[in-house]
Amino acid sequence: MTIQEYFELVFTDYTLRTITLGTAVLGAICGMLGSFAVLRKQSLLGDAISHAALPGIAIAFLLTGTKDSNLLLIGALVSGLVGTYWIRGMISKTHLKTDTALGLILSIFFGFGMLLLTFIQKQPNANQAGLDKYLFGQAATLVESDVRLMVIVTAISLFILLLFWKEFKILLFDAEFTQTLGFNTKFIDILITFFIVLAIVLGLQTVGVVLMSAMLLAPAAAARQWTNSLAMMILLAAIFGAFSGVVGTAISASQDNLSTGPVIVLVAAVFVFFSFVFSPGRGLLFREIRFRQNRRDLELKKTLQFMYSIAKNHKDISHPHTVRILNDFRGFTRGTLRKLEKKNWIEIHGQNWSLTTKGYETAENLYNQQKPHD
């Protein structure tokens, strides 16, 4: 099946429509909430929480004996919240830094989860098969109830975001100032973290424990390159995330033996790469263009200043000077003369040049700006 055939069938085929809608909604909520993790410099938090959720899935299965996705996700949510609480406690009550606490919780919880999965695999109960889908995700298992849950959580997250918009915005950019205004910063911080955990847990079934942090961070990182506005960043991140989910699902469905989760993450990575290179404000390409332009402007101004140092010794600023006098000046080229003439800073007459009034005044201003002040 080609990608074109996929999009033709997505409106008529129940399974394809469910999976596509589910990955789109997941991408949108991950992009929206991932923006807060990126701006708060908590990028590793998503990785730690997703790995911390694994033992909760295993324990929920051991307690219930069923593979009901809702029960397993509740176990993942509880385990993720416990891991988050431990991270916050280690940071606030010990001398450990944030990255150390995140690394410890990630490795300890993930190791414990893998131990439990190994134990479950050796049990005679046939229901244990399939739990490993939470490691790398399996979007094909999404059903309508899963998508409905994602939509509900996304709607609630959006409502809370709008309700506490002012508090979230102030906390992101100046936590101490937020506290002096009388806001309960601890409650706001916990609220943001809770919804990030919730988004991660929702994505485990689709993307998996290993790749969930990329789904959370990639759309937000791409959106950050395009804007300085928080509202616009959240909107762009949601669009990038949703588009990554739809396109990734289409690509994986059009090819045999392609897992949906990894393909979605790779599509999101393309957004990140494109944004890092081509965004006008922060992109590497435009940054290099600006750097080269600034360097050329600096060379022009240095040449103009050198000409000024020659011309100011004459009463008549339009006194012609030979071009050969510039040959020993570092950075001088014939192209430099043409650019100076194009800016109307000099006039060229055969092998001679002379400063214009505009060029003389510009060079004099540059000289006065660089002259040390008493």
Side-chain angles (χ1 to χ4, degrees), residues 177-224:
F177 179 64
T178 307
Q179 198 166 11
T180 60
L181 293 177
F183 293 112
N184 188 341
T185 55
K186 186 175 181 180
F187 170 76
I188 300 171
D189 181 58
I190 291 174
L191 194 61
I192 295 175
T193 305
F194 172 77
F195 278 99
I196 291 175
V197 174
L198 196 57
I200 291 171
V201 169
L202 287 176
L204 292 180
Q205 184 175 354
T206 306
V207 182
V209 167
V210 177
L211 299 175
M212 189 58 218
S213 61
M215 191 65 190
L216 186 74
L217 301 174
R224 183 67 183 94

Side-chain angles (χ1 to χ4, degrees), residues 307 310 317-327 332 334 337-338 340-341 345-356:
M307 291 176 163
I310 298 172
I317 62 170
S318 60
H319 179 80
H321 304 274
T322 178
V323 172
R324 286 181 299 177
I325 200 173
L326 301 174
N327 288 339
F332 165 74
R334 289 285 178 175
L337 283 183
R338 288 193 294 270
L340 290 170
E341 185 181 30
W345 287 349
I346 66 169
E347 292 180 349
I348 300 177
H349 306 283
Q351 295 298 315
N352 295 325
W353 61 268
S354 61
L355 285 180
T356 63

